[in-house]
């Protein structure tokens, strides 16, 4: 049935007016409430409630950001653990690494606590109820077993190195550390049996003066570049050292001040080392070019005399910046140098300048290297300039996300190194190989080295090397 | 220096007379009405209801904190960049030179000695070394 138009108009107008009256009435009442005080209705948010919610929201946002950052870092490490390139997860319930949430719990409960060495020891849960002992002795280090086949020679197994590091901590500020190398070698052709060689790689007494300065005294690894301080078998991805390290002294006897200064909230730091050591010596005491002895001036002569061979001192140091921009993405760049007399008369000078760099792009890519140049004053050849550089790169196949068990534990590595001894010998070498990570500290390394020598007494050429490296 | 992330507060208040609801309401009602011949009256009714809604909405809007009217400084809060945690510093610093060691590999006392060694060897800033130590000791083996 169709209604007439006037009827519809009237109904519509009445509906409209009715709605208007209904809506205006509460509006007027609410306007009065607003003028006096906020309404108690749960449909509205007061200023106080808003501020409270805002504060809570900001706190949650901050916590969320912190947890996200931490989770990203832990994810990367856990991924490496899954790939076997980092140790397996610790026993369940005991390690923050086993669970990001557990790690977060640990971290969030501790940062606000003032940290001092004494209280921090007491705060650590242990199996005993008392604080940790103030003195402690530990052994860490590495060992390598090697098989080598050099062009034109028989291949052979070698125990190349057993290198324990003894650490004795006396309280919160004193540490004595000593590193040894035990090496067995076949006796020279014509002899029988073998000999065991023990080298003292370093032995220093460290005193932590404050947060920014640490004193070292003794036989120390010299911070010329980074290789000498980071060359243990399970740190170096190649069985041997870069060639140009031969133009630099590896260690020296003396004193050193060093430390690190944080310069940002992302883990950035500025690091420095400054040392005074006896410096290089001369094999026969002369200043002839072929008599430079980079590691022989340890301060005590074989006839019992207590003397520096040349009476001078070698000074040097390194300054570097470490700049991570997100977890596992970082760049380290350093410059180091040294200057010292080296002949017994103290008239000839040895100077060295080294630039080093290391770049990590995610958990899979690492590129690093060093450039070094030295200036050596001599009696018979003027100033010679032994120099060289090396560059190496590694790529962990886990980065391809193939999820193939064995491939994910493999890292392809390559290195190019070259050295010029400043006299007549130049060597260039290219190395390709791979590292298989059985665990985070047990590696299998295999490399083939292409060597090109130029000079009167060239070294043996190409070689094939396999090495088992273990860090403990 | 990485830019400091900012947090913008967006306040959301759901009202029974929210504009979304209104738009839906009017569209549903207006379409069939427009087909008829009483367009003027329908428009009048819609206008009346709309006016009522606006009037009702004004007090509520006045009472509710209005993010749009707030200054940028008030609505935008800078989130302070938090220092990295011990776990993050552990992943960051240890992996620079070697594979990171799991916390459970050594006891808490051994970690204290080893971290002192690594602080010296790697020139770790003391504050970072302490945070890493706390992380490792928290998960240390027995």
């Amino acid at each position: 049935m169709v209604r007439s138009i006037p009827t519809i108009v009237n109904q519509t107008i009445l509906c409209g007016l009715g709605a208007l009256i209904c809506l205006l009435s509460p509006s007027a009442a609410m306007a009065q409430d607003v003028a006096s005080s906020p309404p108690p209705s749960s449909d509205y948010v007061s200023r106080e409630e808003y501020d409270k919610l805002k504060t809570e929201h900001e706190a949650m946002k901050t916590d969320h950001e912190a947890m996200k950052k931490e989770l990203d870092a832990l994810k990367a490490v856990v991924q490496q653990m899954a790939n076997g390139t980092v140790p397996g997860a610790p026993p369940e319930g005991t390690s923050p690494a086993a669970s990001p949430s557990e790690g977060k719990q640990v971290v969030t409960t501790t940062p606000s606590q003032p940290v001092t060495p004494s209280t921090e020891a007491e705060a650590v849960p242990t199996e005993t109820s008392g604080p940790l002992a103030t003195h402690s002795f530990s052994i860490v280090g590495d060992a390598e077993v090697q098989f080598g086949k050099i062009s034109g020679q028989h291949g052979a197994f070698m125990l190349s190195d057993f290198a324990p590091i003894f650490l004795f901590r006396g309280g919160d500020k004193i540490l004595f550390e000593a590193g040894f190398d035990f090496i067995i070698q076949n006796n020279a052709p014509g002899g029988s049996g073998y000999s065991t060689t023990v080298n003292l790689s370093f032995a220093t007494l460290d005193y932590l003066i404050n947060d920014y300065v640490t004193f070292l005294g003794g036989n120390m690894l010299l911070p010329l570049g980074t290789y000498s301080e980071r060359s243990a078998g399970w740190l170096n991805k190649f069985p041997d050292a870069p060639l140009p390290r031969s133009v630099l002294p590896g260690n020296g006897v003396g004193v050193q001040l060093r430390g690190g200064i944080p310069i940002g909230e992302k883990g950035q730091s500025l690091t420095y080392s400054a040392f005074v050591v006896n410096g290089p010596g001369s094999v026969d005491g002369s200043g002839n070019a072929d008599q430079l002895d980079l590691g022989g001036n340890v301060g005590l002569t074989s006839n019992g005399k207590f003397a520096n061979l040349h009476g001078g001192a070698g000074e040097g140091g390194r300054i570097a910046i470490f700049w991570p921009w997100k977890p596992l993405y970082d760049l380290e760049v350093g410059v180091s140098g040294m200057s010292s007399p080296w002949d017994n008369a103290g008239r000839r000078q040895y100077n060295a300048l080294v630039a080093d760099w290391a770049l990590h792009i995610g958990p899979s890519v690492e590129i690093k290297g060093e450039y070094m140049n030295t200036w050596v004053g001599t009696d018979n050849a003027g100033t010679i300039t032994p120099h060289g550089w090396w560059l190496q790169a590694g790529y962990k196949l886990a980065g391809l996300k193939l999820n193939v068990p064995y491939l994910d534990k493999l890292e392809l590595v390559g290195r190019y190194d070259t050295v010029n001894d400043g006299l007549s010998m130049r060597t260039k070498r290219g190395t390709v190989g791979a590292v298989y990570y059985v665990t985070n500290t047990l590696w299998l390394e295999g490399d083939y080295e292409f060597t090109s020598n130029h000079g009167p007494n060239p070294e043996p050429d190409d070689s094939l090397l396999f090495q088992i490296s273990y860090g403990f | 220096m990485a830019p400091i992330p900012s947090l913008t507060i967006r306040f959301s208040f759901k009202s029974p007379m929210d504009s979304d609801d209104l738009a839906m309401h009017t569209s549903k009602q207006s379409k069939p009405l427009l087909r008829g011949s009483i367009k003027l009256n329908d428009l009048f009714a819609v206008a009346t209801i709309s006016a009522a809604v606006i009037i009702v909405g004004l007090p509520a809007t006045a009472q509710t904190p209005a993010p749009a009217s707030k200054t940028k400084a008030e609505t935008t809060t800078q989130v302070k960049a938090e220092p990295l945690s011990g776990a993050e510093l552990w992943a960051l610093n240890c992996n620079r030179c070697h594979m990171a060691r799991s916390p459970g590999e050594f006891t808490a006392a051994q970690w204290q000695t080893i971290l002192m060694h690594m602080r010296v060897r790697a020139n770790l800033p003391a504050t970072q070394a302490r945070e890493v130590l706390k992380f490792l000791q928290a998960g240390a083996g027995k």
Side-chain angles (χ1 to χ4, degrees):
Chain A
M1 184 174 181
V2 179
R3 288 177 291 181
S4 62
I5 291 177
T7 303
I8 297 175
V9 170
N10 289 337
Q11 286 178 347
T12 305
I13 292 173
L14 285 173
C15 287
L17 289 175
L20 180 61
I21 291 168
C22 291
L23 293 171
L24 285 178
S25 299
S27 160
M30 286 164 56
Q32 290 176 356
D33 290 340
V34 169
S36 56
S37 63
S41 169
S42 60
D43 291 341
Y44 300 95
V45 176
S46 67
R47 166 63 67 179
E48 184 181 358
E49 291 172 329
Y50 169 73
D51 289 339
K52 183 182 176 185
L53 287 169
K54 181 181 175 184
T55 305
E56 290 177 353
H57 181 76
E58 289 173 355
M60 289 172 65
K61 185 78 174 176
T62 304
D63 284 348
H64 174 75
E65 291 295 329
M67 290 172 67
K68 191 177 175 185
K69 285 193 300 181
E70 187 172 348
L71 186 59
D72 288 342
L74 288 172
K75 273 182 179 176
V77 176
V78 170
Q79 181 62 39
Q80 287 186 326
M81 287 177 174
N83 295 334
T85 54
V86 165
E92 188 176 353
T94 60
S95 168
S99 164
S101 61
E102 289 178 14
K104 180 62 185 173
Q105 185 177 9
V106 170
V107 174
T108 51
T109 54
T110 51
S112 59
Q113 300 170 358
V115 179
T116 59
S118 57
T119 56
E120 126 189 337
E122 293 170 0
V124 174
T126 63
E127 65 273 24
T128 58
S129 58
L132 295 179
T134 57
H135 289 52
S136 173
F137 178 71
S138 299
I139 299 177
V140 295
D142 60 277
E144 291 80 40
V145 178
Q146 197 174 97
F147 175 86
K149 171 71 175 72
I150 299 174
S151 177
Q153 301 181 20
H154 297 296
F157 289 100
M158 300 169 276
L159 174 62
S160 58
D161 202 2
F162 169 60
I165 298 174
F166 298 95
L167 303 172
F168 182 82
R169 176 175 58 84
D172 298 320
K173 291 185 176 295
I174 296 174
L175 176 71
F176 178 76
E177 47 184 336
F180 296 87
D181 284 295
F182 294 83
I183 304 171
I184 59 172
Q185 295 174 303
N186 284 331
N187 286 333
S192 61
Y194 63 90
S195 61
T196 303
T197 303
V198 180
N199 290 323
L200 181 64
S201 303
F202 63 92
T204 60
L205 180 64
D206 309 341
Y207 182 77
L208 279 60
I209 298 173
N210 57 40
D211 278 1
Y212 307 103
V213 183
T214 298
F215 168 86
L216 280 72
N219 181 20
M220 64 191 72
L221 299 171
L222 294 181
L224 296 172
T226 57
Y227 184 82
S228 62
E229 294 185 323
R230 307 175 188 176
S231 60
W234 68 291
L235 308 188
N236 183 15
K237 295 173 180 176
F238 297 87
D240 48 16
L243 292 170
R245 291 300 307 185
S246 61
V247 307
L248 299 172
N251 58 349
V253 176
V255 294
Q256 182 178 175
L257 295 176
R258 63 189 298 157
I261 303 166
I263 54 174
E265 300 289 350
K266 298 291 185 185
Q268 304 96 325
S269 60
L270 178 71
T271 64
Y272 72 91
S273 308
F275 60 84
V276 178
V277 295
N278 289 336
S282 170
V283 175
D284 64 0
S286 74
N288 292 331
D290 57 352
Q291 298 299 309
L292 175 65
D293 184 5
L294 290 173
N297 190 9
V298 297
L300 189 64
T301 57
S302 58
N303 58 4
K305 291 185 177 180
F306 185 75
N308 186 349
L309 295 178
H310 47 63
E315 303 95 8
R318 176 176 182 264
I319 187 166
I321 188 166
F322 173 62
W323 197 269
W325 62 92
K326 63 180 182 178
L328 303 179
Y329 288 74
D330 57 72
L331 174 67
E332 181 179 11
V333 178
V335 177
S336 50
M338 177 182 180
S339 181
S340 173
W342 66 274
D343 64 323
N344 280 13
R347 293 184 292 113
R348 303 301 175 194
Q349 200 76 8
Y350 170 87
N351 298 308
L353 182 65
V354 184
D356 62 82
W357 57 88
L359 173 68
H360 293 95
I361 305 173
S364 300
V365 178
E366 179 189 69
I367 303 169
K368 61 182 180 180
E370 293 178 332
Y371 172 82
M372 55 282 287
N373 199 72
T374 62
W375 296 263
V376 184
T378 69
D379 289 342
N380 60 342
T383 299
I384 60 174
T385 58
H387 63 277
W389 60 274
W390 62 274
L391 180 69
Q392 75 175 50
Y395 182 77
K396 293 188 177 75
L397 296 186
L400 296 174
K401 303 186 187 309
L402 298 174
N403 295 323
V404 178
Y406 295 104
L407 284 181
D408 284 352
K409 295 183 177 183
L410 202 62
E411 179 175 8
L412 302 181
V413 294
R415 181 181 66 188
Y416 181 82
D417 49 347
T418 178
V419 63
N420 184 324
D421 70 356
L423 296 171
S424 56
M425 192 74 183
R426 289 180 294 118
T427 304
K428 299 175 182 178
R429 184 173 64 180
T431 305
V432 294
V435 180
Y436 183 80
Y437 296 95
V438 180
T439 70
N440 65 317
T441 59
L442 180 61
W443 303 1
L444 307 178
E445 302 171 35
D447 294 278
Y448 193 86
E449 300 182 337
F450 306 88
T451 308
S452 169
N453 294 294
H454 305 276
N457 300 304
E459 296 282 324
D461 286 318
D462 300 352
S463 56
L464 179 66
L465 299 172
F466 294 98
Q467 180 169 285
I468 302 172
S469 301
Y470 180 64
F472 57 88
Chain B
M1 192 77 173
I4 299 172
S6 62
L7 171 65
T8 301
I9 304 297
R10 288 190 176 85
F11 190 84
S12 176
F13 178 67
K14 186 72 173 176
S15 165
M17 302 301 286
D18 204 341
S19 58
D20 290 340
D21 293 340
L22 175 64
M24 187 167 59
H25 177 73
T26 53
S27 64
K28 282 180 179 175
Q29 286 201 349
S30 62
K31 284 180 180 176
L33 288 174
L34 286 172
R35 293 191 199 110
S37 57
I38 51 174
K39 197 173 179 179
L40 185 62
N41 289 337
D42 292 339
L43 288 175
F44 176 75
V46 170
T48 304
I49 295 172
S50 300
V53 169
I54 292 170
I55 293 169
V56 170
L58 280 176
T61 306
Q63 183 218 16
T64 305
S69 63
K70 294 166 82 71
T71 62
K72 189 175 181 181
E74 289 174 321
T75 55
T76 303
T77 304
Q78 297 293 328
V79 177
K80 183 180 179 298
E82 292 293 322
L84 296 182
S85 67
E88 291 170 310
L89 291 166
W90 166 71
L92 187 71
N93 284 307
C94 301
N95 279 306
R96 288 163 57 184
C97 305
H98 56 75
M99 295 298 178
R101 306 295 290 260
S102 174
E105 290 187 44
F106 296 101
T107 66
Q110 288 173 322
W111 276 127
Q112 192 167 2
T113 303
I114 292 169
L115 254 292
M116 188 182 286
H117 164 66
M118 290 312 307
R119 174 181 160 182
V120 175
R121 177 62 64 90
N123 276 341
L124 296 180
T127 51
Q128 295 183 16
R130 282 195 284 264
E131 290 301 317
V132 174
L133 178 61
K134 282 193 290 188
F135 167 74
L136 292 170
Q137 288 185 324
K142 301 295 184 187

